[in-house]
Amino acid sequence: MSDTIAVALVTALSTLFGVWFTGRVALRTTARQVEAQERQKRRDHEEQRKARKREMRREVYVQFLNAAEALESALIQTWDQPLPQDCESVFKDHRARLMRLRETFHVLDMEGPCSVTEAARDVRIAAQRQVDQLEAVVRDARDQGTTKSLGIFASDVWMECLKTSEDMRNELLKRARSALN
């Protein structure tokens, strides 16, 4: 074999080895880049999912708090008034608002987390008790024929209802804020 052929074979083999080695390095580099892009894509997707979930929870919490506030406002208005002539329509309105609060609670219960659900359940129970206590006060006021506002007639009951309601709402807000952070 001539020296020229030997040199040509060595050169060809060196070139083939160089191409193979360069291809392997490029393939590994590309695979690492694709893996890094996939990891980043998964992280971005997870962050977007968490942001959507946080926003959905926030909306549900706000809906629940709005329903609780609407009921609370209606109850306060009733407490501030003298005994209404048409008690049944007033209580029908309170019960309808309480039902909206319950319906919103079920959505909140699905969204969680448990700490917020427990606090919301306490708000819902306190609202139910406040409606029940108001109805009992109205029955007593009717029996006694008072002309005072219900809040004056049964101020201890009313103040206790307001304090409990405020405490429950504050606890819910604290837990909701914690869950959203």
Side-chain angles (χ1 to χ4, degrees), residues 54-70 101 104 107-108 116 169 172-173 176 180:
R54 207 171 22 253
E55 184 58 31
M56 187 181 311
R57 279 183 172 173
R58 183 186 175 286
E59 287 176 22
V60 170
Y61 298 165
V62 167
Q63 288 173 5
F64 183 80
L65 287 166
N66 286 341
E69 183 62 32
L101 183 67
T104 307
V107 178
L108 188 144
V116 176
R169 188 174 46 255
L172 173 60
L173 283 170
L180 293 173

Side-chain angles (χ1 to χ4, degrees), residues 3-4 16 42 62 127 177:
D3 289 339
T4 308
L16 286 175
R42 282 192 298 270
V62 167
R177 285 179 183 131

